[in-house]
Amino acid sequence: MNTQPPSEQHLLRRCAGALAIAVGLLLIGWLLAAPADAAPRHGVPGHGVTVSIACSSTGMDQVACREGAEAWARQSGNRVNIVSTPSSATARLALYQQFLAARAPDIDVFTIDVVWPGLLGRYLIDLGAYVDAARRAEYEPALMRNDTVDGRLVALPWFADAGVLFYRQDLLDKYHLKPPDDWAALSADAAAIQRGERAAGNARFWGYVWQGRAYEGLTCNALEWIGSFGGGSIIAADGKVDVDNPRAIAALHMARGWVGTITPPGVLNYSEEEARGVFQAGNAAFMRNWPYAWALAQGQDSAIRGKVGVAALPAGPGGRHSAVLGGWQLAVSKFSAHPKQAAALVLYLTSRAEQKRRAIAYTFNPTMPSLFDDPEVLAAAPFLGRLRPVFADAVARPSAVVKTRYNEVSAAIWTRVHAVLTGEATAAGEMRALSLELRRIGHGGRW
């Protein structure tokens, strides 16, 4: 069993391959992305400018992004161009870094992960000049602090996220079960439902699906498992590395035990969309995912429409629930030829009215606390009100501590955890190796 960190040459080859894939995906997306030009104001030809925005292709993200951007174009008299990006956050970050390092003006507005402001902030304009005090006060304060780097407001919160548990309410009723409150109950209930559904003729049915691919989504899952077991947050707020402990090891041992029993072996290559595909096709009892999956599960073409519930992720042995903070922000490139118009687009897309529209139509969680009490929002997504504490208490990834080294830290986490899930190494061995690797990255833990 090899618990030594990968060699530098191996890491470089792996990163180069990933970057090549990401660039290929970008070029494909760029070629396929058709400009979404709105009619010029007052019908005057050539009025306004064209602003390009990089939208995600996950779920309904691009549709919702396009709708909002086109509405702004019609209102402002400008034009928008939608740039498709990879669904994988890891590939998208590599793509963004290449564009920004090259000072390319092709993309004006970037959709960035909640953990990226520290990584990308030096390439982004300060939006502070465009956002007055009243507007600032509307957003969740923690997210505004997250998006402020060295005193500069480099992004605005667009939608918030936290990991949640989706379940088949019809199957819980069928087997006289209730939503599991802890991991032990989930494991038992998933196994029971899986046995019953396979006996009933669905040989493709599984108990529980989640994100097991070696990418950022696995870092999120691992932090949730470890946190719920009381195993810490891998890197504490003071920079101390604390992952080589019995509770963290027990959490990963639990997850390894799911693979091939209640979870398909293919989960080791699942991102959000692969997990959703299995669940939405009616082939899983439980799913860990982000809230965006609710609107899709309730769609007209969904095999499980009207049969889904949402709850907090199960607790660990001590009764502790843990959900990782997610979400996306909007930022403007320093290299944009039209920063004023790009900032106006960001302000429109992150406005209360637009966040409310997206919450109702697509279940994107608002970043303005007042919208969690809005009757129309709660009517469209009842679970948002019930799970508000989950979003408020969500666990942050250690990006604020490790800053520009976050991508390296996260890659170390998901690589080690993936080795445990595949059975290539033990949880104890990999957590010991991860602890040493993170200390090396942090020069002994001095972040």
Side-chain angles (χ1 to χ4, degrees):
M1 175 179 63
N2 178 21
T3 59
Q4 297 302 313
S7 69
E8 185 175 352
Q9 285 186 341
H10 175 71
L11 287 173
L12 288 172
R13 286 196 300 270
R14 186 171 62 193
C15 291
L19 183 58
I21 293 171
V23 172
L25 289 170
L26 171 66
L27 293 174
I28 293 170
W30 182 272
L31 292 171
L32 293 178
D37 292 346
R41 184 169 49 189
H42 307 308
V44 180
H47 178 83
V49 302
T50 297
V51 176
S52 292
I53 177 172
C55 296
S56 168
S57 57
T58 301
M60 297 300 290
D61 281 12
Q62 187 169 120
V63 173
C65 179
R66 178 182 292 274
E67 289 174 350
E70 288 179 343
W72 170 80
R74 289 191 295 270
Q75 182 184 96
S76 67
N78 294 300
R79 296 171 295 278
V80 290
N81 182 56
I82 308 300
V83 181
S84 180
T85 60
S87 59
S88 164
T90 304
R92 198 186 316 177
L93 176 59
L95 176 154
Y96 284 1
Q97 288 175 315
Q98 185 186 41
F99 258 70
L100 292 168
R103 306 171 71 90
D106 307 78
I107 300 176
D108 301 285
V109 177
F110 286 90
T111 306
I112 67 172
D113 197 344
V114 70
V115 295
W116 295 348
L119 281 169
L120 304 178
R122 64 186 181 277
Y123 299 118
L124 307 172
I125 73 167
D126 185 355
L127 291 169
Y130 301 93
V131 186
D132 60 27
R135 179 66 176 266
R136 287 173 184 253
E138 291 188 78
Y139 298 102
E140 171 60 47
L143 290 174
M144 289 295 281
R145 289 193 297 272
N146 180 81
D147 293 347
T148 302
V149 178
D150 296 329
R152 299 171 59 250
L153 184 64
V154 300
L156 280 178
W158 194 17
F159 64 94
D161 257 338
V164 293
L165 180 72
F166 289 81
Y167 58 87
R168 286 281 300 278
Q169 183 64 60
D170 59 323
L171 294 180
L172 294 188
D173 294 341
K174 178 179 177 179
Y175 293 95
H176 309 292
L177 300 169
K178 61 181 181 180
D181 189 59
D182 57 44
W183 292 117
L186 179 139
S187 298
D189 294 350
I193 297 173
Q194 181 176 300
R195 284 193 302 270
E197 293 304 292
R198 289 188 177 185
N202 186 355
R204 301 172 60 191
F205 193 89
W206 290 92
Y208 184 41
V209 293
W210 34 279
Q211 296 76 47
R213 180 184 298 173
Y215 81 119
E216 183 67 23
L218 182 54
T219 294
C220 294
N221 278 259
L223 280 165
E224 289 166 348
W225 301 331
I226 292 171
S228 71
F229 269 63
S233 55
I234 301 181
I235 298 176
D238 62 1
K240 180 182 179 182
V241 176
D242 182 23
V243 68
D244 184 11
N245 66 74
R247 292 179 179 179
I249 291 167
L252 296 183
H253 183 72
M254 170 193 71
R256 171 67 185 102
W258 292 333
V259 180
T261 56
I262 61 171
T263 291
V267 79
L268 298 176
N269 199 38
Y270 282 11
S271 65
E272 287 82 358
E273 284 296 88
E274 286 80 16
R276 183 182 67 83
V278 174
F279 184 76
Q280 194 167 317
N283 291 324
F286 300 101
M287 172 181 68
R288 184 271 180 204
N289 216 320
W290 307 100
Y292 84 94
W294 167 265
L296 294 164
Q298 299 297 343
Q300 293 290 338
D301 60 346
S302 172
I304 55 174
R305 186 169 187 260
K307 302 176 181 179
V308 180
V310 184
L313 288 170
R320 182 196 303 265
H321 293 267
S322 180
V324 160
L325 177 67
W328 293 83
Q329 335 296 305
L330 292 178
V332 176
S333 169
K334 275 186 175 180
F335 315 114
S336 168
H338 311 292
K340 182 177 180 180
Q341 290 85 353
L345 173 58
V346 168
L347 284 168
Y348 179 90
L349 292 177
T350 61
S351 67
R352 191 179 194 280
E354 177 62 6
Q355 289 200 39
K356 179 175 178 177
R357 180 192 73 83
R358 289 166 54 89
I360 292 172
Y362 302 109
T363 337
F364 286 107
N365 298 309
T367 60
M368 295 179 173
S370 62
L371 283 171
F372 281 92
D373 298 320
D374 187 284
E376 292 177 282
V377 171
L378 294 178
F383 69 88
L384 286 182
R386 296 195 306 272
L387 296 182
R388 185 172 181 178
V390 173
F391 303 124
D393 299 331
V395 177
R397 284 164 275 178
S399 58
V401 178
V402 303
K403 299 182 174 63
T404 58
R405 281 171 281 185
Y406 177 75
N407 203 37
E408 189 178 0
V409 165
S410 186
I413 294 170
W414 80 56
T415 299
R416 296 292 177 183
V417 172
H418 197 263
V420 174
L421 298 176
T422 62
E424 296 172 12
T426 66
E430 288 302 281
M431 291 307 94
R432 183 166 54 253
L434 177 60
S435 180
L436 292 172
E437 188 172 358
L438 294 178
R439 286 189 172 91
R440 177 187 60 77
I441 295 171
H443 305 294
R446 297 185 298 275
W447 301 100

